[in-house]
């Protein structure tokens, strides 16, 4: 009888120890998971912020280079003429100026100039724009901005 009582006490002891260890494990797992989710959320936000900052920096760089290009007298002269392809010497001047500027812009590989006749003149790396710029995409855009649009691409 004493031995049965000792066995019962030992079994109850191991059950209590098992319940305590199990509850500690469950509590630890819940706390750890909530902490991990919080850390992952913060890292995701930081990653998105970094991507936003880099994207804005690239856009700002392109914007600054477009201002430099538009401030150039030779480029203004060619754009004001309304027909890039009718002015071959102007094309060479524009290409030379743009290539000179692109040497210092690692983020920009090429430039598209679109004249008043919707002719696309590209300098630098080339990408097929056929079908990408349609008149429907230009609808609603200020005609003055449309005529002097400079598209940078990477």
């Amino acid at each position: 009888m004493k031995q049965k009582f000792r066995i019962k006490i030992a079994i109850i002891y191991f059950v209590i120890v098992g319940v305590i260890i199990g509850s500690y494990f469950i509590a630890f797992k819940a706390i750890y998971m909530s902490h991990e989710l919080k850390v992952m959320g913060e890292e995701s936000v930081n990653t998105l912020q970094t991507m936003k900052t880099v994207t804005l920096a690239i856009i700002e760089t392109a914007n600054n280079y477009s201002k430099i290009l538009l401030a150039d007298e030779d480029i203004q002269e060619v754009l004001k003429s309304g027909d890039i392809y009718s002015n071959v010497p102007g094309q060479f001047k524009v290409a030379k100026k743009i290539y000179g500027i692109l040497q210092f812009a690692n983020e920009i590989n090429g430039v598209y100039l679109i004249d008043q006749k919707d002719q696309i003149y590209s300098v630098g790396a080339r990408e097929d724009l056929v079908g990408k710029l349609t008149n429907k995409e230009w609808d609603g855009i200020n005609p003055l901005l449309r005529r002097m649009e400079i598209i940078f691409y990477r």
Side-chain angles (χ1 to χ4, degrees), residues 4-24:
K4 287 185 177 182
F5 184 69
R6 284 183 183 176
I7 292 174
K8 286 182 182 180
I9 289 178
I11 290 173
I12 291 172
Y13 175 76
F14 284 117
V15 168
I16 291 172
V17 169
V19 168
I20 291 172
I21 290 173
S23 61
Y24 278 135

Side-chain angles (χ1 to χ4, degrees), residues 15-128:
V15 168
I16 291 172
V17 169
V19 168
I20 291 172
I21 290 173
S23 61
Y24 278 135
F25 176 75
I26 291 170
F28 174 76
K29 185 177 178 182
I31 292 169
Y32 178 75
M33 290 300 290
S34 69
H35 174 72
E36 281 298 311
L37 288 174
K38 180 181 175 186
V39 169
M40 286 180 4
E42 290 171 357
E43 288 178 6
S44 296
V45 168
N46 290 340
T47 301
L48 290 173
Q49 284 293 87
T50 302
M51 291 170 57
K52 177 184 174 185
T53 303
V54 169
T55 303
L56 290 175
I58 291 171
I59 291 170
E60 183 67 25
T61 301
N63 187 35
N64 290 336
Y65 278 105
S66 69
K67 289 175 186 176
I68 291 170
L69 289 174
L70 287 175
D72 186 83
E73 291 178 13
D74 293 329
I75 294 175
Q76 283 185 13
E77 180 183 322
V78 170
L79 288 174
K80 286 179 184 176
S81 73
D83 189 359
I84 293 175
Y85 290 105
S86 68
N87 185 353
V88 176
Q91 286 180 34
F92 289 121
K93 285 182 186 177
V94 167
K96 185 177 177 181
K97 298 263 180 164
I98 293 174
Y99 276 122
I101 291 173
L102 290 180
Q103 289 177 355
F104 301 105
N106 294 334
E107 306 87 11
I108 302 169
N109 293 332
V111 176
Y112 286 116
L113 297 173
I114 303 171
D115 67 11
Q116 293 178 3
K117 293 183 179 181
D118 291 334
Q119 298 176 104
I120 301 170
Y121 178 72
S122 62
V123 177
R126 299 191 187 270
E127 182 178 304
D128 185 20

